[in-house]
Amino acid sequence: MKTISFPDLELSKELEKAITDLGFEEPTPIQALAIPMLIEGHDVIGQAHTGSGKTAAYGLPLLGKIDQNDRRVQALVMCPTRELAIQVSEELAKLGKYLPGIMIIPVYGGQPIERQLTALKKGVQVVIGTPGRIIDHLHRRSLDLSNVKVVVLDEADEMLDMGFRDDIGDILGRTPEKRQTVLFSATMAAPIMELAKKYQRTPKHVKVVHAQLTVPTIEQFYYEMREGDKIEALCRLLDRYNPKLSLVFSNTKRRVDEITSRLNSRGYAAEGLHGDMSQSQRERVMAKFRSGVTDILIATDVAARGLDIDDIEAVFNFDVPQDPEYYVHRIGRTARAGRSGRSFTFVSGKEVWKLRDIQRYANVRITPDFIPSDQDLEEQRTLQALTKIREAIEKEDLDNYRLRAQAMMGEEFTSLDLAAALLFMTDKARPKIDSPSQAPIPRDDEKRERNNRPPRRREAYKSPHPASNNRGGQRSSGQRDRRSYTH
Ligand code: AMP
């Protein structure tokens, strides 16, 4: 099946520009299915869960239908909760950012009604509200729905569960019969179908099928932290587990470049992969990753699709994926071909709610974990060094080296001195991370400003792609308290 791109959807240039600003690479499945139908004017009943991109699926066509010169209410979105009303209103505002003539307001219980009355009086074209507060405004005559072209019932199943059935009927009764009615619900139980039958005209059905998690050998961990600590955490986990190949996912192209450049400046061989790169550039990056020249690949969900590599030992979700389905696809990149794998998900602020959705949706358990402390990392390095030493003793012909070691020992050094110095030298060659602190970990750019010094331990890795090379390529050498890093 041909994948649909945003330009295929023929949205206005103002909407396209806003989509580009938001960093969306391509329409989500529900958007690819629903947007063309909605633009054509059909009623649509969509089965989609939170995180599927359903707001933009109905929001983009809705914004495209607004007449900016008409200050009457032209679109109404009903939501079960005030949180969702606010979220939808924020998302529509972002999508409509280049349509300054369109006024959007949320109306919900709990906010002083006066503020909403003033806004409504000035004239708004898009109202997003909870049924109770919409009814309230209708009774006060502060809301006139007689010119509404589009009505959306978002999370309709929730609204029915909350007992809004009659309110929904009353509200729809105040809108013109000749309107477009859009209904989104996570389930398609009988009451939803009744609602559709009653208020929609020959609706088109769209449904996004759930991906199944089929790789039970993946150990899945999550880490709660502040946004600014994510790079530090990534480096620590890379050092702790030392995966052969790692795939780091982020939600936008911009973030891919940012993470790549920050890892490069800390001496890691990382490269980015995203939709803005040419096909030949992408192939080159993938070939280097496949052969292990670069062992860390940072990608968006879309760009990683063409990647078919069996040796990925770790998947990092630098950002929690917007769509729970993406989580399943992402972590399915590891533990291929009967191997085991690990996934590490970084969670900050509100992302914790998305993580809950993911666990419910994918029916998986993601275990909370701690970012390794300095001590953990030291122990890990000793263990790795010992393994290498054992292998060398068992497998290599060391006769010549034994003679050289004997000559070096003489009277000046003991064998212990010699071994310790060699361990120190191997340790120094690693791309190390900064000493941890319980105080906020400064961002790289802040640290660069404070410590305008060249990298201490290793030449900064230069990506062949200028977008992922940072200007200075410097690392911090700031020495802070040696405390254990928790979060
Ligand atoms: P929703 O399912 O509408 O709650 O959307 C979940 C999140 O996905 C929101 O933060 C949107 O900004 C984001 N989103 C929507 N469409 C896309 C897209 N095509 N690509 C990437 N992210 C998207």
Side-chain angles (χ1 to χ4, degrees):
M1 197 180 86
K2 182 186 173 297
T3 48
I4 292 180
S5 66
F6 274 114
D8 291 337
L9 296 175
E10 295 182 358
L11 298 160
S12 69
K13 61 177 186 323
E14 288 86 357
L15 292 174
E16 274 207 23
K17 206 160 162 230
I19 290 168
T20 308
D21 283 2
L22 284 167
F24 297 175
E25 280 198 88
E26 69 172 34
T28 64
I30 197 80
Q31 291 164 0
L33 287 168
I35 290 175
M37 293 174 186
L38 290 168
I39 289 178
E40 272 184 29
H42 294 286
D43 280 4
V44 163
I45 172 162
Q47 187 170 1
H49 49 87
T50 300
S52 60
K54 63 183 165 65
T55 316
Y58 66 73
L60 288 164
L62 177 154
L63 291 169
K65 284 181 202 289
I66 304 293
D67 175 357
Q68 295 186 62
N69 298 315
D70 182 350
R71 298 300 290 259
R72 291 176 295 178
V73 178
Q74 298 170 49
L76 177 73
V77 181
M78 277 186 249
C79 298
T81 60
R82 68 167 169 167
E83 285 77 21
L84 186 63
I86 294 167
Q87 202 179 302
V88 168
S89 142
E90 285 173 356
E91 177 93 356
L92 294 191
K94 283 185 210 156
L95 294 169
K97 102 185 221 207
Y98 294 108
L99 299 163
I102 300 186
M103 303 303 293
I104 301 167
I105 65 154
V107 297
Y108 50 84
Q111 189 192 43
I113 201 153
E114 288 70 28
R115 194 176 308 160
Q116 297 169 5
L117 292 173
T118 318
L120 285 168
K121 224 181 245 159
K122 280 193 197 148
V124 294
Q125 294 101 333
V126 183
V127 172
I128 300 119
T130 49
R133 187 50 73 102
I134 295 173
I135 293 274
D136 205 349
H137 281 292
L138 288 172
H139 288 163
R140 289 168 181 259
R141 297 182 187 281
S142 44
L143 184 61
D144 174 12
L145 299 178
S146 62
N147 196 44
V148 161
K149 300 180 213 172
V150 187
V151 176
V152 181
L153 305 175
D154 198 353
E155 298 196 355
D157 47 349
E158 290 281 329
M159 287 199 282
L160 290 186
D161 282 353
M162 290 167 77
F164 286 132
R165 184 190 309 269
D166 294 343
D167 286 349
I168 292 172
D170 289 349
I171 295 167
L172 287 172
R174 304 283 201 107
T175 62
E177 279 216 354
K178 207 170 154 290
R179 59 164 194 260
Q180 184 178 39
T181 313
V182 187
L183 193 153
F184 273 96
S185 168
T187 62
M188 282 296 141
I192 291 292
M193 299 316 288
E194 273 169 36
L195 202 68
K197 202 164 151 212
K198 200 161 170 192
Y199 299 113
Q200 291 190 299
R201 277 170 304 148
T202 53
K204 300 253 183 211
H205 288 242
V206 289
K207 182 179 173 181
V208 177
V209 240
H210 285 190
Q212 281 302 316
L213 192 60
T214 53
V215 266
T217 47
I218 304 172
E219 280 184 274
Q220 301 166 56
F221 301 105
Y222 79 87
Y223 305 84
E224 268 192 87
M225 66 186 79
R226 283 174 309 184
E227 190 58 42
D229 291 347
K230 285 185 173 180
I231 283 282
E232 189 86 20
L234 176 59
C235 295
R236 280 171 184 271
L237 289 168
L238 284 168
D239 282 10
R240 162 75 180 79
Y241 290 100
N242 200 17
K244 192 165 162 196
L245 296 180
S246 308
L247 192 51
V248 181
F249 281 100
S250 123
N251 288 349
T252 64
K253 298 180 257 189
R254 262 196 307 272
R255 296 268 284 176
V256 167
D257 285 339
E258 185 193 322
I259 300 165
T260 311
S261 127
R262 293 179 71 184
L263 282 182
N264 289 168
S265 68
R266 285 167 180 242
Y268 293 87
E271 287 207 52
L273 192 71
H274 60 60
D276 278 356
M277 293 158 66
S278 70
Q279 184 60 23
S280 63
Q281 257 181 331
R282 267 186 294 187
E283 275 166 14
R284 219 174 311 130
V285 169
M286 282 199 248
K288 281 166 79 180
F289 184 56
R290 197 171 278 118
S291 64
V293 174
T294 42
D295 52 4
I296 306 162
L297 190 70
I298 299 102
T300 57
D301 294 282
V302 175
R305 247 178 239 165
L307 207 68
D308 189 18
I309 296 175
D310 285 338
D311 294 346
I312 297 170
E313 289 182 349
V315 168
F316 292 87
N317 294 307
F318 198 84
D319 306 309
V320 176
Q322 302 290 7
D323 185 339
E325 196 161 330
Y326 282 167
Y327 178 84
V328 178
H329 289 303
R330 284 180 180 188
I331 70 161
R333 298 288 172 168
T334 179
R336 291 271 187 104
R339 295 178 174 87
S340 59
R342 291 193 177 96
S343 78
F344 307 94
T345 302
F346 295 172
V347 181
S348 84
K350 284 190 200 156
E351 286 183 325
V352 79
W353 299 110
K354 283 197 216 156
L355 192 79
R356 203 191 49 177
D357 285 346
I358 289 170
Q359 303 203 57
R360 221 179 315 145
Y361 162 83
N363 196 21
V364 291
R365 186 165 151 60
I366 311 174
T367 318
D369 196 12
F370 292 97
I371 297 296
S373 66
D374 258 12
Q375 201 185 348
D376 295 335
L377 294 180
E378 259 166 44
E379 279 167 17
Q380 179 65 19
R381 280 197 286 273
T382 307
L383 214 66
Q384 278 169 8
L386 280 175
T387 312
K388 274 192 188 158
I389 290 169
R390 182 170 295 120
E391 275 174 12
I393 293 174
E394 285 171 3
K395 294 184 192 151
E396 306 294 338
D397 177 5
L398 299 179
D399 285 352
N400 263 337
Y401 291 91
R402 281 198 185 92
L403 288 175
R404 280 164 65 184
Q406 228 163 16
M408 283 166 88
M409 270 172 2
E411 285 189 358
E412 211 175 340
F413 310 120
T414 64
S415 52
L416 191 63
D417 290 337
L418 204 63
L422 288 172
L423 274 182
F424 171 78
M425 280 153 69
T426 15
D427 216 21
K428 266 197 104 177
R430 296 175 55 82
K432 276 204 197 137
I433 51 180
D434 299 310
S435 292
S437 159
Q438 282 180 342
I441 297 174
R443 292 195 324 264
D444 265 5
D445 47 353
E446 289 170 358
K447 285 191 273 184
R448 270 199 301 278
E449 272 165 32
R450 269 185 255 158
N451 279 293
N452 198 15
R453 290 185 231 161
R456 255 197 320 176
R457 295 190 178 92
R458 188 162 136 169
E459 266 299 298
Y461 172 80
K462 283 272 184 288
S463 161
H465 305 295
S468 56
N469 280 328
N470 80 343
R471 264 166 265 126
Q474 290 150 349
R475 299 184 53 255
S476 149
S477 55
Q479 204 57 38
R480 284 174 265 130
D481 289 353
R482 288 172 68 85
R483 287 186 219 136
S484 120
Y485 179 97
T486 54
H487 46 79

